Amino acid sequence: MLDCTLRIDYPKFQLDVAFVVPRHSVYCLYGPSGSGKSTILAALIGLIKPTKSRIVYDGVLLQDDHGQKIAPWRRSFSMIEQVPKLFPHMTLAQNIAFAAGKRTLGDEEQKLIAQFDLSDRLRYKPHQLSGGFQQQGAFVRALATKPKLLLLDEPFFALDWQFKEQMIRLFAAYREQNPVTTIFVTHDLREAQRLADRIGILQDGRILRDDRMDAVFSQPQTMSIAKQMGYTSFLSAEKYQHPGQQYLAIHPDRLIVRKKGIEENGILLGGTIVAMTPREGFYRIEIQLELGDHVQATVRHEHTYRVGEKVVVDLGKAVYVV
Amino acid sequence: MRRFAIGSWVATSLSLCTLVIVSLPMITLLAHVPQNGWLTTDSGVFSALITSLQSTAVTMVFIIVLGLPLAYQMARKRSLWFRIVNKIIYVPLVMPPLVIGLLLMYIFGPYTWIGQAVSGLSGSLVNTLVAVIIAQFYEAVPYFVLAAEAAFSDVLINYEKTAYALGKSPWQTFFHITLPLALPGLLNGVAMAFTRSIGAFGAVIVIAYYPHTLPVAMWIALQEQGLPAALPLALILILLSLPLTLLILLGRRRTHA
């Protein structure tokens, strides 16, 4: 279990966070660029000196305001970053062996390499590998150190979507057998949902919310967190007869749209489709409600909606936020 | 298009001119040595060769041991102190070798406290192999330090950070990551410093006329027997520096391939 409190003062930015990562879980630090996610990782790994800090891992004090009690390289933390940064003068095999602290690869490393599908690429230097395989190599290299805490700094960011899918799948499969405690920094909600147990929503150097991933998603509580969770439409609760609440937040994936005249039951509102945008595998449609507000919804390709068509929407899955 | 062609023609011919001017001494040397016969094998040449090799070997050890940590810090630290150090390293570089020799005489000469302290142990420092080494050190050390600093600066600090982020200690990082990545540049510095050191003359002749090194022997041959006697020595000197330099150039091509 990691228990950390960090304060870092920069001239134009102040980071002030405290969070706990339970053993064997994935804690996601989620937030927009510049919210301080990577700074937290750099402080944990010991690359930057925080103004105030207290880092405890499994009951051992690693550092506090009096300085580092355990040197960064004795903490058994490993980090994987956006870019693989494999050492250019070593082959992939040498990169992994160096990380493992061995001269040659042992059985454990070979197993890891096979798990990540890299067995026939070991003899190559980094520049001979594609970016995707380099990042796969970076994963194996970091895991070969057998870290107590794995720090992931947007490791899937630079990959094309095929590689990203594969990488997330491989890593998730690895974690099922080896549930390494992980901090996962990302600003991609889908990645977060795939991997995270808990999520810390970070904004301007503060953690706004720290909760189970599914709880934050289904009950975002505030408008700003709801926006980060992908909610796109916010209706005045008063106007839609939900007294005592401020806003109805609507996630496009959870807004049910029906053609007018079919199954008209539930809390239904009429509207007109004003825009349709194709996305990967679905359409995002924008509907103007009869009361004038706009809401967005996701519909699958098979649906034959057209711009200008009258539809009804079901607000049953909308949640209250302030 | 036409203007570009003229520009390129001018650049090419100027480059050729430079090449000819630069290689002229080497061509002259190769042209004249056979005519003048090979070495007039007096024993002085051989002992000068031994002196030069011995002193340069020791000088290089000192240059590397003392220069490497400094060069690394200069490449990594940005404090005012290290910016000043950077300028100090240039001092022996811009100082004429003869001036270095004169100043070394004021430091290590028989009437200074260092000179006297040493003379209490083993006689005067001046005109010993140690004096040769000191003079060579001063003439050659900036070449190594500046080349090594550039080599370390070229190693992206990111790779060092990555090693730290994998839980490697600063020592492990330096020996497994930084040093191998900087090696081509470091060897380049070694080659330059070696060439400077074995060819050192100005500072050497002031504080160590004896034992003769190759450059000093060459100077004496020139004074006493004239140009033809000095040329073969020049050829030896060049041949000594050449293999190391070539080796390093070849090594660079291999690592960059």
Side-chain angles (χ1 to χ4, degrees):
Chain A
M1 189 181 87
L2 174 85
D3 184 348
C4 80
T5 310
L6 294 169
R7 213 186 88 200
I8 299 164
D9 294 324
Y10 287 137
K12 288 186 176 165
F13 180 74
Q14 199 193 51
L15 182 92
D16 198 347
V17 296
F19 58 91
V20 170
V21 183
R23 182 191 267 257
H24 298 329
S25 71
V26 178
Y27 183 79
C28 176
L29 281 169
Y30 180 82
S33 309
S35 56
K37 307 186 295 286
S38 301
T39 311
I40 294 175
L41 296 194
L44 287 174
I45 214 105
L47 286 176
I48 55 172
K49 192 171 175 283
T51 317
K52 276 178 151 324
S53 66
R54 187 182 153 77
I55 304 173
V56 180
Y57 192 89
D58 278 352
V60 179
L61 179 66
L62 303 182
Q63 75 180 58
D64 63 11
D65 292 344
H66 304 293
Q68 297 181 339
K69 306 288 183 218
I70 310 267
W73 55 92
R74 295 193 197 286
R75 291 179 185 181
S76 301
F77 290 1
S78 249
M79 181 148 78
I80 303 168
E81 295 164 88
Q82 264 184 34
V83 275
K85 291 188 201 158
L86 294 176
F87 302 118
H89 59 299
M90 298 177 177
T91 62
L92 183 56
Q94 287 166 334
N95 263 284
I96 297 166
F98 170 66
K102 295 179 179 176
R103 284 188 171 275
T104 51
L105 297 170
D107 287 347
E108 282 171 287
E109 289 79 30
Q110 292 290 5
K111 196 178 148 218
L112 193 61
I113 289 159
Q115 221 170 349
F116 278 82
D117 239 351
L118 285 170
S119 300
D120 39 348
R121 289 172 210 272
L122 286 174
R123 64 180 185 282
Y124 294 115
K125 290 261 181 92
H127 69 92
Q128 295 165 312
L129 295 167
S130 73
F133 281 118
Q134 286 186 35
Q135 188 66 330
Q136 224 158 303
F139 262 88
V140 173
R141 181 177 64 173
L143 295 172
T145 65
K146 285 184 233 146
K148 284 183 192 163
L149 179 66
L150 185 65
L151 306 170
L152 304 179
D153 192 356
E154 307 199 29
F156 312 113
F157 180 73
L159 301 176
D160 63 56
W161 70 269
Q162 274 180 313
F163 248 114
K164 184 187 284 198
E165 283 302 309
Q166 183 181 347
M167 208 52 254
I168 293 177
R169 197 159 34 77
L170 287 170
F171 180 63
Y174 171 83
R175 280 201 84 261
E176 274 176 21
Q177 293 164 28
N178 313 272
V180 54
T181 312
T182 304
I183 299 181
F184 175 36
V185 157
T186 186
H187 60 251
D188 184 319
L189 184 64
R190 274 179 297 172
E191 290 175 10
Q193 284 177 310
R194 288 279 289 279
L195 292 173
D197 299 311
R198 283 185 81 81
I199 185 167
I201 308 268
L202 201 64
Q203 198 166 314
D204 301 325
R206 300 270 188 290
I207 291 181
L208 299 182
R209 174 94 178 269
D210 183 342
D211 207 337
R212 285 196 345 271
M213 182 70 221
D214 51 346
V216 177
F217 183 74
S218 56
Q219 292 297 328
Q221 293 174 353
T222 70
M223 193 192 279
S224 109
I225 292 173
K227 279 181 180 164
Q228 294 214 43
M229 291 288 109
Y231 288 75
T232 52
S233 316
F234 299 90
L235 304 176
S236 157
E238 205 75 43
K239 191 168 163 188
Y240 289 86
Q241 273 109 53
H242 291 264
Q245 303 291 339
Q246 271 193 305
Y247 294 103
L248 286 168
I250 296 160
H251 196 284
D253 292 352
R254 294 178 165 203
L255 184 68
I256 298 161
V257 183
R258 296 204 193 98
K259 301 231 174 201
K260 206 163 168 60
I262 306 171
E263 293 180 56
E264 294 202 5
N265 52 14
I267 315 156
L268 297 180
L269 292 170
T272 311
I273 297 178
V274 291
M276 282 183 85
T277 332
R279 297 280 178 93
E280 38 192 280
F282 60 90
Y283 277 103
R284 175 64 52 85
I285 61 175
E286 188 159 341
I287 300 160
Q288 185 172 19
L289 298 177
E290 277 158 4
L291 290 175
D293 298 290
H294 285 233
V295 292
Q296 293 190 338
T298 305
V299 293
R300 295 201 302 198
H301 270 295
E302 308 90 90
H303 288 287
T304 52
Y305 291 107
R306 282 173 296 102
V307 173
E309 191 172 342
K310 299 256 186 232
V311 290
V312 290
V313 297
D314 181 350
L315 292 188
K317 294 269 177 67
V319 297
Y320 300 131
V321 296
V322 293
Chain B
M1 199 60 218
R2 194 180 151 75
R3 195 169 293 172
F4 174 74
I6 291 171
S8 136
W9 183 82
V10 170
T12 311
S13 29
L14 280 178
S15 307
L16 271 175
C17 272
T18 316
L19 203 64
V20 170
I21 292 168
V22 168
S23 49
L24 211 52
M26 192 67 200
I27 295 165
T28 314
L29 178 66
L30 292 174
H32 279 79
V33 167
Q35 290 173 24
N36 294 307
W38 190 230
L39 291 174
T40 51
T41 48
D42 64 65
S43 59
V45 174
F46 188 67
S47 74
L49 174 64
I50 297 296
T51 307
S52 271
L53 286 176
Q54 277 177 337
S55 61
T56 304
V58 178
T59 305
M60 287 312 294
V61 170
F62 275 101
I63 285 178
I64 292 169
V65 169
L66 295 174
L68 208 60
L70 176 67
Y72 180 72
Q73 306 219 58
M74 279 163 63
R76 287 290 175 267
K77 308 226 164 143
R78 288 283 160 265
S79 65
L80 180 67
W81 162 240
F82 278 98
R83 281 198 303 250
I84 295 170
V85 169
N86 202 323
K87 302 292 176 289
I88 294 174
I89 288 298
Y90 278 93
V91 172
L93 195 68
V94 295
M95 218 180 248
L98 209 52
V99 177
I100 297 177
L102 290 176
L103 296 176
L104 288 180
M105 203 58 150
Y106 273 101
I107 304 168
F108 298 104
Y111 302 108
T112 65
W113 66 268
I114 294 180
Q116 279 177 347
V118 174
S119 69
L121 298 170
S122 61
S124 175
L125 206 59
V126 174
N127 289 334
T128 61
L129 197 62
V130 177
V132 175
I133 291 164
I134 292 171
Q136 286 182 335
F137 179 86
Y138 276 92
E139 279 205 38
V141 75
Y143 290 90
F144 176 73
V145 172
L146 293 174
E149 186 208 352
F152 284 131
S153 298
D154 281 348
V155 177
L156 293 178
I157 197 160
N158 280 336
Y159 288 121
E160 292 179 2
K161 286 186 179 169
T162 302
Y164 295 142
L166 289 168
K168 298 297 164 191
S169 72
W171 280 110
Q172 285 172 310
T173 303
F174 183 77
F175 282 109
H176 289 100
I177 307 301
T178 315
L179 205 55
L181 284 174
L183 200 60
L186 292 177
L187 289 179
N188 191 27
V190 168
M192 281 207 290
F194 178 86
T195 314
R196 283 293 117 192
S197 174
I198 204 160
F201 174 68
V204 175
I205 200 168
V206 178
I207 72 165
Y209 187 77
Y210 290 107
H212 296 333
T213 58
L214 276 174
V216 174
M218 200 164 84
W219 168 252
I220 293 165
L222 182 67
Q223 292 291 298
E224 292 176 355
Q225 301 162 52
L227 213 46
L231 268 186
L233 284 159
L235 189 64
I236 297 177
L237 203 54
I238 287 172
L239 288 178
L240 283 177
S241 324
L242 214 55
L244 187 69
T245 315
L246 283 180
L247 207 69
I248 286 158
L249 284 176
L250 286 175
R252 288 200 112 177
R253 279 183 63 183
R254 204 172 52 83
T255 48
H256 282 253

